[in-house]
Amino acid sequence: MTSALLSQAMCGTVDTSPLLPLPDRVVGLLSELGSPPRLAAHLRAVHDVAHQLVAWLEQHQPAVVFDREAVLFGAATHDVGKTVHVSELSGLGAAHEEAGQALLLARGVSPELARFAATHASWARSSVGLEDLLVSLADKIWKNKRVPGLEDLVVARLAEATGRAVWEEFIALDEVLTHIGDGADERLAFQASFPIHG
């Protein structure tokens, strides 16, 4: 049975910020796993930011080809391993990454979608695609954390896809990240309003 707090974190009305609800498939997964409400709130905030990023890409960078649904699912599930490694919700640790991928695979999620649980903190590897970079970026910018190395990788992918100069892509990305980052306080307050246990 899903607790009222968990349900509110995943898809309830939010007074402080108009966050999109998590997708139904993710709501079912988190309910089944007994997700901590704070984790669900975090995943909802990152999913909302990913939605803003993909909407911007689709509108302003139509030449960029990427899997929109994969990015949104990845953002909504990237920390699912913290249902097992709950201490990593309030402390450091990376055990949740492989655990999350294993949890998703065990529940029938395709490897292409389950990978984000393992790759969201490993954007520097050469094997990561644009989708992985976008999930990683959403996981940083939701709280207005700017990571130049990650942003440079995204800019390079955008410039390669559009044929525009790197500096042009940098300015465009910086503008949208600044705009998204402006909502960080509301997202942080939303996440903090939910307990780790409950």
Side-chain angles (χ1 to χ4, degrees):
M1 185 171 131
T2 305
S3 75
L5 279 173
L6 178 55
S7 181
Q8 180 70 18
M10 294 187 294
C11 48
T13 303
V14 182
D15 292 335
T16 57
S17 179
L19 294 174
L20 293 171
L22 285 169
D24 291 342
R25 182 179 185 191
V26 176
V27 168
L29 279 167
L30 295 178
S31 297
E32 179 185 329
L33 293 168
S35 172
R38 183 164 300 166
L39 172 59
H42 170 68
L43 293 173
R44 184 174 177 185
V46 175
H47 170 263
D48 186 82
V49 166
H51 201 278
Q52 292 179 59
L53 284 172
V54 300
W56 172 78
L57 271 175
E58 290 170 339
Q59 184 175 4
H60 298 286
Q61 313 286 18
V64 178
V65 177
F66 68 101
D67 186 337
R68 176 186 199 276
E69 295 309 313
V71 173
L72 296 177
F73 185 85
T77 59
H78 72 281
D79 274 346
V80 72
K82 291 183 181 181
T83 58
V84 175
H85 298 281
V86 178
S87 65
E88 293 183 14
L89 276 170
S90 57
L92 298 176
H96 72 277
E97 294 165 15
E98 286 189 30
Q101 184 176 27
L103 279 172
L104 292 172
L105 291 170
R107 279 158 181 77
V109 174
S110 71
E112 294 78 23
L113 293 178
R115 77 178 194 263
F116 297 104
T119 64
H120 68 274
S122 307
W123 60 81
R125 292 191 309 205
S126 61
S127 61
V128 300
L130 179 59
E131 293 84 358
D132 303 88
L133 294 174
L134 292 171
V135 170
S136 298
L137 188 58
D139 191 33
K140 298 300 180 190
I141 201 63
W142 81 274
K143 60 183 175 183
N144 203 20
K145 181 175 182 181
R146 302 295 296 262
V147 182
L150 172 58
E151 293 176 24
D152 289 346
L153 290 171
V154 174
V155 165
R157 297 287 176 97
L158 296 180
E160 181 181 322
T162 64
R164 289 172 43 182
V166 169
W167 67 267
E168 288 181 275
E169 294 299 348
F170 173 82
I171 289 171
L173 183 66
D174 182 64
E175 185 177 292
V176 73
L177 295 183
T178 298
H179 173 73
I180 293 171
D182 287 345
D185 288 345
E186 291 82 9
R187 289 186 294 269
L188 285 161
F190 171 74
Q191 178 181 290
S193 71
F194 291 94
I196 292 175
H197 305 285

